[in-house]
Amino acid sequence: MIEWLDDVWSRTHMVQVVEGGEDGGPLRDRTILAELSDQAAVDAARVLTTKGRFPGGICRCHGGPTIVLRAAGGQVLASAGIHGHGSVSWERSRFRDDHAVADPAALHLFLAEHGVPDQLAAFVPPLADLLGLHETNPQFRPAGEAGRRYLTKRGVPHVLHPVLVTVTGQQSGELAEAQIDDVRHRLDAIMPSPTGRAMILLSWLGRLPIPTEAFWGEGILVRRLLADLALPDIATAAADTRTGHVAMGVVNLVMHSGDNGTLAAAIGPTLRQLFPPPSAADTVP
């Protein structure tokens, strides 16, 4: 398989990333998500998808999106489905052996920064492990004084506590617009800078337990507040505040609102610091 990969990559002039996995139908009919024709980008894609190890089996999912290698004349040379965090399956029906890439963080960031959607979602499991964000009981923050310590732990500004302690975490995701305005005005009063507000909100969002509170409940509230801010301000806050919680906040936000590659680039250095490249010995196929 390594010899086959060397051969097809040596003849590759363009790399496409298309929608869907092994069950996505003919490659020619799929939406193109990214197209790499620059030689440096093609070379980078080759390294990121072929260095690693072959575990000797496949996962159960169909994967997606799919990487397509094309020759100078446009003909398809090979394809590979992406299967979760750092797993690439080259010609699965033929080889039946998923490839565990050596540097998963670099692969998913590379794809995200080239506009391939949903790649930052691959960082949810490793970030949740690293930051200890897996939920326990209760799933949602309780209301009243019992819930105040949760707000403090999540870095929620004290000026917001009087509003939020009156509701549970689940109910905070269901606040009426007038209540959201109250929270918004309180936050604006203590942090006039949009970049500063973005930093507070991203860190808050990135401290919520995975999955319930982060994706529903209080996570809805924080994302509604972030929706008021311009993308450049959010990107600046993410780039300047290089913490795992802010990175997780960005991942959460992107999973619900999408990204054109701007936010992926903003947290790229943070994610590379948290998940550094492997040693040279681990990159040998």
Side-chain angles (χ1 to χ4, degrees), residues 44-273:
R46 176 177 182 170
V47 170
L48 291 170
T49 60
T50 61
K51 299 297 182 181
R53 60 187 178 83
F54 295 95
I58 61 175
C59 70
R60 296 182 180 181
C61 76
H62 293 293
T66 296
I67 297 168
V68 181
L69 308 187
R70 292 189 179 274
Q75 62 269 37
V76 174
L77 298 172
S79 65
I82 300 171
H83 290 256
H85 186 65
S87 180
V88 176
S89 190
W90 288 101
E91 302 290 346
R92 170 176 280 209
S93 61
R94 175 182 177 184
F95 293 109
R96 307 289 294 177
D97 194 358
D98 293 348
H99 178 60
V101 304
D103 196 349
L107 171 61
H108 293 293
L109 281 172
F110 176 82
L111 294 173
E113 290 170 16
H114 281 84
V116 180
D118 303 324
Q119 292 305 298
L120 289 186
F123 288 95
V124 170
L127 277 172
D129 290 342
L130 183 68
L131 301 174
L133 293 178
H134 296 289
E135 69 181 26
T136 56
N137 289 322
Q139 284 187 313
F140 292 103
R141 171 182 56 79
E145 287 303 311
R148 190 181 295 274
R149 67 182 179 89
Y150 291 85
L151 296 174
T152 300
K153 183 178 180 181
R154 294 169 185 179
V156 180
H158 289 285
V159 71
L160 304 185
H161 289 200
V163 179
L164 297 179
V165 295
T166 64
V167 295
T168 67
Q170 183 173 10
Q171 291 169 333
S172 68
E174 303 166 353
L175 293 180
E177 193 57 40
Q179 294 170 296
I180 294 289
D181 282 339
D182 185 18
V183 173
R184 185 180 292 117
H185 292 151
R186 287 170 181 261
L187 184 58
D188 290 355
I190 64 163
M191 182 54 69
S193 163
T195 302
R197 291 199 300 277
M199 183 275 292
I200 290 171
L201 293 170
L202 290 172
S203 182
W204 177 5
L205 186 60
R207 293 176 185 273
L208 297 176
I210 302 293
T212 308
E213 189 86 275
F215 299 152
W216 296 278
E218 209 164 279
I220 294 176
L221 167 63
V222 184
R223 290 192 297 273
R224 288 174 72 180
L225 295 170
L226 280 165
D228 298 331
L229 299 172
L231 178 61
D233 292 323
I234 296 174
T236 297
D240 291 349
T241 314
R242 295 178 60 171
T243 68
H245 290 109
V246 166
M248 178 62 100
V250 170
V251 170
N252 187 325
L253 179 63
V254 167
M255 287 175 64
H256 292 86
S257 59
D259 181 34
N260 60 6
T262 299
L263 293 179
I267 62 170
T270 304
L271 292 172
R272 295 310 286 142
Q273 183 177 2

